[in-house]
Amino acid sequence: MHGDLAATRAALSLAGAIGPDDAWTGGALVVVQTGDQLDRGDDEQAILDLFTKLSKEARDAGGGFYPLNGNHELMNADGDLRYVTAEGFVDFQDAPGLALDDPRLAGAPPQVRARLAAFLPGGPYAKVLARRPVILVVGDSVFVHGGVLPAHVAHGLERINADVSRWLSGQAKTRPALIAGDDSPVWTRAYSDAPDADDCATLGEALAAIPAKRMVVGHTVQAGGITSACDERVWLIDTGMAAYYGGSPQALEIKGDAVQILR
């Protein structure tokens, strides 16, 4: 989504999740968004608030709306603001519940303090992110921003989610080591950047251990739109739909064993 509300709305409408007034229209539909709502665009607070609203409306309607944390959500919580736009700093100056006297903001330039106060662990929007998983299994599909490796399964998927949640909410003082580095669930491109036979074998090992039939990942823009690899055991759904990349909104529909790309 990368801060593009128009693209966000287009993808959700395509999936039958929302109507013109942004209200949930999906009924029992389950939607999973694979992260990267933040950075590179100017509509971030509106997207986060919309996702919070849709999560409640979907639950009340008997469905589900589950945004995941991607690497850009966790970068903001870690104080890494390299990809924030100028408007992205202004956007959070009116965010409720900011603790601008937080000692962690000492020495930060005035124009970035509101953003930091919103997303540093324990901040109001960090607590919003704390309610969202990094990895989610729905039926026989596993969803994640980067990828689930066998080591992640061995560590425990719910343990990863719980550790990240404790960090974001401010209950844990340090970032979980497992979510940092090129082989973390939000950073790995093992399955999304031209996976070879070895990568597909690793994927098969992870899926068998979960267990799941397929993995759905984002993180790496696919220039031709949604595609699959490893005999359709992994689906690559980052179409670069945000204005920053200029791609088109798409969605992946899974009904039982039938998988369809919605354009």
Side-chain angles (χ1 to χ4, degrees):
M1 303 308 182
H2 277 306
D4 188 331
L5 183 60
T8 299
R9 285 172 167 150
L12 293 174
S13 296
L14 185 65
I18 64 169
D21 60 353
D22 287 346
W24 178 259
T25 58
L29 176 71
V30 174
V31 172
V32 182
Q33 193 276 330
T34 54
D36 279 4
Q37 300 120 42
L38 299 181
D39 292 341
R40 305 193 192 278
D42 299 340
D43 304 325
E44 301 156 288
Q45 187 173 178
I47 291 173
L48 293 176
D49 292 348
L50 173 62
F51 283 8
T52 296
K53 179 180 84 76
L54 290 176
S55 294
K56 181 182 185 304
E57 291 178 356
R59 182 174 62 250
D60 291 346
F65 186 86
Y66 303 102
L68 305 185
N69 286 318
N71 62 306
H72 282 267
E73 282 73 51
L74 302 187
M75 288 167 66
N76 274 260
D78 208 28
D80 185 343
L81 308 181
R82 284 177 289 166
Y83 301 102
V84 179
T85 66
E87 183 60 32
F89 287 111
V90 175
D91 189 25
F92 287 89
Q93 290 180 0
D94 64 348
L98 298 182
L100 295 176
D101 58 349
D102 189 319
R104 293 175 296 178
L105 305 182
Q111 66 270 23
V112 309
R113 288 177 185 168
R115 177 88 183 202
L116 286 170
F119 286 104
L120 288 178
Y125 275 94
K127 289 181 177 178
V128 170
L129 299 179
R131 298 195 292 268
R132 301 176 176 179
V134 173
I135 303 163
L136 183 67
V137 179
V138 179
D140 52 13
S141 301
V142 57
F143 298 84
V144 63
H145 183 68
V148 177
L149 303 176
H152 304 150
V153 185
H155 187 83
L157 303 188
E158 287 307 315
R159 180 182 173 189
I160 293 172
N161 288 337
D163 287 348
V164 172
S165 178
R166 280 193 292 270
W167 171 59
L168 290 171
S169 66
Q171 297 177 56
K173 294 186 180 297
T174 58
R175 178 188 63 189
L178 195 71
I179 64 166
D182 291 343
D183 59 352
S184 88
V186 298
W187 281 104
T188 182
R189 300 184 194 272
Y191 310 136
S192 60
D193 189 8
D196 58 20
D198 288 343
D199 295 322
C200 290
T202 300
L203 171 68
E205 183 181 344
L207 289 174
I210 290 171
K213 288 185 178 179
R214 68 185 66 83
M215 192 175 299
V216 182
V217 305
H219 195 40
T220 304
V221 173
Q222 308 298 314
I226 291 176
T227 188
S228 64
C230 304
D231 298 321
E232 297 191 351
R233 288 179 297 164
V234 61
W235 285 86
L236 322 174
I237 67 167
D238 188 341
T239 66
M241 70 177 71
Y244 179 88
Y245 293 103
S248 60
Q250 296 182 10
L252 189 71
E253 181 182 71
I254 303 171
K255 289 184 175 181
D257 289 330
V259 182
Q260 178 182 359
I261 300 169
L262 306 179
R263 296 182 172 90

